[in-house]
Amino acid sequence: MTPALPPVPFVSLIGAGPGDPGLLTLRAAERLREADVVLFDALANPDLLALCPQAEQLDVGKRGFLPSMGQEDINALLVSRALDRGGQRVVRLKGGDPFVFGRGGEEALACAAAGVPCEVVPGISSAVAAAAYAGIPVTHRGVARSFAVLTGTDRQGPAAYAALGGADTLVFLMAVKHLEQIAADLIAAGRDAATPAATIQWASTPDQRVVSGTLADIAGKVRAAGLGAPAVTVVGEVVRLREQLDWFLPEALGGGGALPARSAGPLSGVQVAVTRTRAGTDSALAGLLAAQGARVSEIPLVRFTPTGDRRALVGALTGFSGWVLLSSEQAANALMDALLAEGRDARVLSVARIAAAGSGTARALAARGLRADYVPSPSGTGPLGAGLPAQPGELALHVGSQEPDAELEAALAARGIGYHALEAFRVEPAQLSAGQRAQLEAAQVVTLASSAGARSLAQVAGTGFTAAVIGPQTERAARAAGFTRLVTAHEATLEGLTDAVRRAWRQGA
């Protein structure tokens, strides 16, 4: 179990792994969900930002040889964001592992100098992951008993490489730009020109590419193939094992890779952007699409921030003995966070009755120590208002976002039950990162699962997309927002939406 964070301010230096978001550690995922601010690198998979829609997300670049924020500026920003607003939880999300050529040590020292508590959440370094995804073990009994990891950004020279003669396998990070000189220096230092070598680009992702050769020709082969950063180069006899151990099939699985027996599927290689208007990830829909070969990216269209008036929220609930209504998991968590932030807890609701609009909201309440007294079937705010066991003249308090729920209010009003909305959180348009915008631009189909999703996508990225929509209500909202290339699911289910993606792709292909 992840230990509770100490009081803010607090900084977590997190390794995002080599590229596949499935390789993120459980601890890292938990820290992202708790974050107030996330500073992320260009090499951290943008899909990971779906875990922290509540956080301020700042793109600080840091991709080799491209213009980006300077390291000293990043250090200063990390500290200032942690100390801002009386103290915040800040995540520094870095590709690979923060302490393996990630300059995480410098960031940790900056936090220490400023008196900001800091932790390190290690990630899977591309130094070993890239080789593994190319079918190359960096050590192997009888072939390689040692390996060394080097940066390719510094020109070591033959003398420095000669000192590494005892290392059987050499792994170079950020070496593509200087690969020709590195290979020449290794040969000059005594390495056989026929030593096997391989360069792996975009390891563990659907875009993974591998070029194999020898020290004598690897630079030319990489250049001819058009490989660039990010890439890892492995030098040593272990590279020969790739012929037998090459297991990852990115093209066949649209990013799955581990099960060669699976077919490519009807969406093989199709870029699909799954848009979201709630916290967390739509992993079920993403999984259905990926199983059919799609390359899926998840794009958060909104972000959630705490209410600016927690006292009003807590004051309205204190001593209230009627029905308190919650219509989303976000509302349940925001309510409990607000109580704790004001030095209170669930006892504020001891004389109230709690209603949840669905089983997901009820589960979120249970996870925070509250049991829902009423959950409608079917779920939704309309059924909640229609079936709530309240009497005419009673007042119900609805805990949610800054926007009252018109459907819930109307259903209650029809029964003579009063409605009052309480703001526990605010919904704001997402500030998409450069990586997320690139994913949207590359998408051949986007999915829209709600009217809010259609309006939000139009607001943050425009309407020039081919979209698969979940039902007629969402289609009407999408057309009203300006979308024209729409395919509607025959059934308002994830399976129906997946079928709509297939039809949208066929129509647009």
Side-chain angles (χ1 to χ4, degrees):
M1 179 180 294
T2 302
L5 280 174
V8 291
F10 195 77
V11 169
S12 298
L13 302 179
I14 290 179
D20 180 355
L23 298 177
L24 187 75
T25 67
L26 295 175
R27 175 69 59 81
E30 187 67 23
R31 291 298 188 248
L32 284 168
R33 294 187 186 101
E34 298 167 339
D36 299 308
V37 183
V38 176
L39 280 62
F40 63 94
D41 281 353
L43 293 183
N45 192 314
D47 287 352
L48 297 177
L49 299 179
L51 293 170
C52 53
Q54 79 291 342
E56 179 185 11
Q57 300 174 359
L58 303 175
D59 184 350
V60 295
K62 298 302 290 182
R63 180 170 168 185
F65 307 111
L66 295 179
S68 62
M69 184 179 292
Q71 186 60 53
E72 290 186 0
D73 293 330
I74 293 175
N75 296 348
L77 182 63
L78 191 65
V79 170
S80 67
R81 280 295 192 273
L83 296 174
D84 196 16
R85 300 179 182 178
Q88 300 190 100
R89 294 187 176 97
V90 178
V91 163
R92 177 71 173 98
L93 186 63
K94 308 169 72 69
D97 181 273
F99 276 14
V100 180
F101 294 118
R103 304 188 74 170
E106 297 171 48
E107 293 168 354
L109 287 172
C111 290
V116 175
C118 176
E119 69 172 353
V120 179
V121 181
I124 300 176
S125 173
S126 60
V128 292
Y133 267 77
I136 303 170
V138 293
T139 63
H140 188 78
R141 188 179 180 89
V143 179
R145 304 192 335 181
S146 61
F147 71 98
V149 181
L150 303 95
T151 173
T153 58
D154 297 333
R155 300 186 182 184
Q156 307 282 348
Y161 292 137
L164 294 170
D168 298 314
T169 305
L170 301 181
V171 181
F172 289 90
L173 308 185
M174 305 169 287
V176 172
K177 186 175 181 180
H178 302 305
L179 190 55
E180 187 170 1
Q181 185 62 53
I182 289 170
D185 288 344
L186 287 171
I187 294 171
R191 297 264 172 177
D192 191 329
T195 301
T199 296
I200 308 103
Q201 182 186 35
W202 289 114
S204 79
T205 75
D207 297 313
Q208 176 173 309
R209 298 174 65 199
V210 184
V211 169
S212 299
T214 65
L215 277 179
D217 61 18
I218 188 64
K221 286 187 173 183
V222 166
R223 185 168 53 251
L227 267 63
V232 173
T233 296
V234 184
V235 177
E237 292 299 318
V238 289
V239 174
R240 299 188 192 278
L241 295 170
R242 171 171 160 74
E243 296 179 8
Q244 300 167 267
L245 301 180
D246 184 18
W247 61 275
F248 184 58
L249 304 176
E251 290 297 333
L253 299 182
L259 301 173
R262 287 172 62 181
S263 62
L267 291 173
S268 179
V270 179
Q271 301 275 2
V272 180
V274 174
T275 63
R276 296 186 299 98
T277 55
R278 60 183 178 86
T281 63
D282 284 330
S283 55
L285 177 58
L288 289 172
L289 293 167
Q292 299 196 22
R295 297 183 177 184
V296 183
S297 55
E298 296 189 57
I299 309 296
L301 297 177
V302 298
R303 60 186 295 261
F304 303 98
T305 59
T307 179
D309 194 357
R310 293 191 300 257
R311 286 186 179 178
L313 171 65
V314 175
L317 292 171
T318 301
F320 180 70
S321 60
W323 283 97
V324 176
L325 316 180
L326 297 105
S327 53
S328 69
E329 298 175 37
Q330 182 66 29
N333 288 316
L335 169 60
M336 296 307 299
D337 289 344
L339 291 175
L340 294 174
E342 288 297 303
R344 310 292 291 276
D345 57 27
R347 286 173 291 183
V348 166
L349 303 168
S350 61
V351 295
R353 289 164 290 174
I354 309 296
S359 58
T361 305
R363 286 193 296 271
L365 285 168
R368 303 297 292 265
L370 284 173
R371 181 181 63 84
D373 298 296
Y374 175 71
V375 182
S377 181
S379 61
T381 56
L384 174 60
L388 185 72
Q391 300 300 316
E394 289 189 41
L395 174 66
L397 300 183
H398 175 217
V399 177
S401 71
Q402 74 271 30
E403 296 292 338
D405 189 305
E407 184 178 8
L408 176 58
E409 184 175 10
L412 291 171
R415 300 175 53 206
I417 301 170
Y419 171 91
H420 181 69
L422 295 175
E423 178 187 302
F425 64 95
R426 298 189 65 82
V427 181
E428 301 173 350
Q431 299 296 316
L432 299 183
S433 69
Q436 289 168 332
R437 290 193 178 277
Q439 288 178 324
L440 271 176
E441 291 172 2
Q444 294 155 295
V445 182
V446 301
T447 65
L448 296 173
S450 68
S451 299
R455 291 188 290 269
S456 297
L457 180 60
Q459 184 176 2
V460 302
T463 59
F465 300 96
T466 296
V469 299
I470 200 165
Q473 182 176 343
T474 303
E475 179 187 358
R476 289 192 294 272
R479 292 196 185 281
F483 292 91
T484 58
R485 302 196 303 273
L486 300 172
V487 175
T488 304
H490 296 312
E491 295 182 353
T493 63
L494 295 184
E495 291 77 9
L497 188 53
T498 300
D499 174 70
V501 170
R502 290 196 299 268
R503 291 185 287 117
W505 162 240
R506 288 197 297 267
Q507 290 181 19

